[in-house]
């Protein structure tokens, strides 16, 4: 906990100019591969399976900070996801619309994203509210959520939310509860696209809802 507090204090006093100087062109897919390699043994100890689905997805960001964010999110996921469950880390490129600016430059609102999904209930929405993270769906009220309120701190989520704000990205969460699927949770980090990818390939891992599955990411 002390480490997370130190990180939050550091971020709170990091000027935007310094943050910008730390940013570079990063392939989120390659970064995700390193994170999965580090976290797989941790999750295997809890009888969980960590899978990676990705396409090359370039953006402009702080590589070290993003890697730390993903490690923290996966660590928390491993604590609260059901035993013997599958956790999916997905790197996607999402094609948006293009428009011509007054300067003649072609602007695109395409984005890259990293999502972490599991079949657990997810964090209590109180932690999302405290971290300023928006969410969709109905957050379940159950014993697991009550346990999180009693024993959690929410610092990890606040660290990630503050980091994404500093990096010029966005973060949101999704709860899924319906007749076919008991529960599920995803947290999504999103950036603008630095390099346009192969959109035919990217379409294979773009986030979409599937009527017969929980969520396909």
């Amino acid at each position: 906990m002390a480490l997370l507090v130190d990180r939050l204090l550091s971020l709170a006093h990091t000027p935007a100019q310094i943050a910008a100087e730390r940013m570079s062109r990063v392939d989120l897919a390659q970064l995700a591969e390193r994170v999965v390699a580090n976290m797989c043994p941790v999750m295997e100890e809890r009888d969980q399976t960590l899978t990676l689905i990705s396409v090359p997805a370039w953006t402009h960001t702080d590589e070290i900070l993003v890697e730390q964010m993903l490690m923290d999110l996966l660590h928390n996921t491993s604590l609260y996801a059901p035993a013997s469950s599958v956790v999916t880390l997905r790197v996607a490129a999402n094609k948006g619309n293009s428009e011509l600016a007054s300067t003649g430059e072609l602007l695109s609102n395409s984005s890259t994203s990293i999502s972490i999904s599991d079949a657990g209930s997810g964090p209590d929405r109180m932690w999302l509210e405290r971290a300023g993270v928006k969410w969709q769906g109905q957050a379940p009220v159950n014993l697991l959520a009550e346990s999180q309120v009693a024993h959690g701190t929410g610092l990890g989520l606040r660290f990630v939310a503050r980091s994404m704000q500093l990096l010029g990205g966005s973060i949101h969460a999704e709860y899924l509860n319906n007749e076919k699927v008991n529960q599920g949770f995803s947290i999504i980090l999103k950036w603008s696209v630095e390099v346009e990818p192969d959109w035919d390939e990217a379409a294979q891992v773009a986030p979409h809802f599937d009527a017969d599955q929980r969520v396909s990411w």
Side-chain angles (χ1 to χ4, degrees):
M1 183 186 298
L3 181 58
L4 277 175
V5 171
D6 289 342
R7 290 174 185 163
L8 282 169
L9 290 174
S10 177
L11 287 175
H13 295 89
T14 300
Q17 181 180 358
I18 295 178
E21 292 174 354
R22 299 173 182 172
M23 296 171 69
S24 62
R25 186 168 171 264
V26 177
D27 181 5
L28 297 177
Q30 292 182 359
L31 187 155
E33 288 180 3
R34 295 199 305 271
V35 171
V36 168
N38 289 328
M39 286 302 299
C40 269
V42 175
M43 305 193 79
E44 287 173 357
E45 290 181 358
R46 295 181 170 87
D47 197 25
Q48 297 163 336
T49 301
L50 177 59
T51 64
L52 172 64
I53 302 175
S54 67
V55 294
W58 293 88
T59 191
H60 197 68
T61 192
D62 184 329
E63 185 171 7
I64 296 176
L65 184 56
V66 173
E67 185 170 348
Q68 185 61 63
M69 286 192 296
L70 294 179
M71 296 282 284
D72 286 349
L73 288 173
L74 285 171
H75 177 72
N76 285 340
T77 299
S78 71
L79 294 177
Y80 298 116
S84 303
S85 63
V86 176
V87 177
T88 302
L89 177 63
R90 190 177 297 258
V91 180
N94 316 295
K95 189 174 184 178
N97 299 319
S98 298
E99 59 182 26
L100 195 63
S102 57
T103 58
E105 181 183 5
L106 188 63
L107 301 178
S108 172
N109 64 353
S110 298
S111 63
T112 59
S113 64
I114 298 179
S115 64
I116 297 174
S117 306
D118 66 81
S121 64
D124 187 89
R125 64 184 184 184
M126 179 185 73
W127 301 129
L128 298 177
E129 292 172 347
R130 289 183 177 181
V133 176
K134 296 181 180 180
W135 75 88
Q136 295 176 315
Q138 183 175 357
V141 178
N142 54 30
L143 293 177
L144 177 59
E146 292 174 3
S147 173
Q148 291 175 8
V149 172
H151 303 292
T153 63
L155 287 178
L157 195 55
R158 277 187 274 177
F159 164 70
V160 174
R162 170 57 180 154
S163 297
M164 289 303 292
Q165 180 184 31
L166 198 62
L167 296 174
S170 64
I171 175 174
H172 72 278
E174 295 186 357
Y175 294 93
L176 182 69
N177 294 275
N178 57 36
E179 295 179 355
K180 292 187 176 182
V181 181
N182 181 29
Q183 61 186 19
F185 179 75
S186 294
I187 191 159
I188 303 97
L189 311 179
K190 185 178 290 187
W191 293 263
S192 60
V193 165
E194 177 75 9
V195 178
E196 295 285 317
D198 180 335
W199 289 114
D200 289 335
E201 179 184 6
Q204 303 302 313
V205 296
H208 64 280
F209 286 94
D210 189 301
D212 298 320
Q213 300 180 25
R214 182 176 63 79
V215 179
S216 297
W217 281 103

